Amino acid sequence: MLTLLPLVALIAAGAPPAPAAAAQKLDGQGAFEQLKKLEGNWSAPKEATWLSLRVISGGTAVLETITGADRTQIVMASVYTLEGTELVMTHYSAHGNQPSMRLKAAAPNLRFETVRVANLDPKAS
């Protein structure tokens, strides 16, 4: 099993902004194809987290599932897909909300920006 930080952790952490000279139109299709190549099982032992990426629905979506230390229960899931040429993702949180995001930057890591959040409890902190 290969070791990799979960994509969600990479997304949350973000990456430094690309230099202005490198700014260009995002290639959502290219980023999606790269994501599909990561299909498999990954681990982040220091966080006791295991991640699985599966290409599903005839190659039109990637399902990311994350389990905790017991490796039996899926605690979070995300689905990546294309809307036209734009890479989008919906994350299904253990808190019961579902942020929908779109690709904001593809290099050096995929970074997403939140478009909306379903089932967000304004009272939760």
Side-chain angles (χ1 to χ4, degrees), residues 29-109:
Q29 177 70 44
F32 185 59
E33 293 304 319
Q34 290 299 315
L35 185 62
K36 287 168 42 173
K37 291 178 183 178
L38 295 174
E39 183 173 32
N41 298 308
W42 303 85
S43 68
K46 289 182 182 179
E47 287 88 25
T49 300
W50 286 264
L51 179 136
S52 173
L53 290 171
R54 296 287 174 255
V55 178
I56 60 170
S57 301
T60 64
V62 174
L63 172 64
E64 171 190 37
T65 56
I66 299 172
T67 60
D70 70 2
R71 300 177 76 175
T72 61
Q73 280 194 345
I74 296 172
V75 295
M76 290 184 279
S78 298
V79 177
Y80 300 83
T81 190
L82 289 169
E83 283 186 9
T85 60
E86 188 172 47
L87 179 58
V88 296
M89 180 257 274
T90 300
H91 176 70
Y92 298 87
S93 168
H95 299 290
N97 57 51
Q98 299 86 36
S100 295
M101 304 175 201
R102 67 176 170 227
L103 186 66
K104 181 177 182 174
N109 298 315

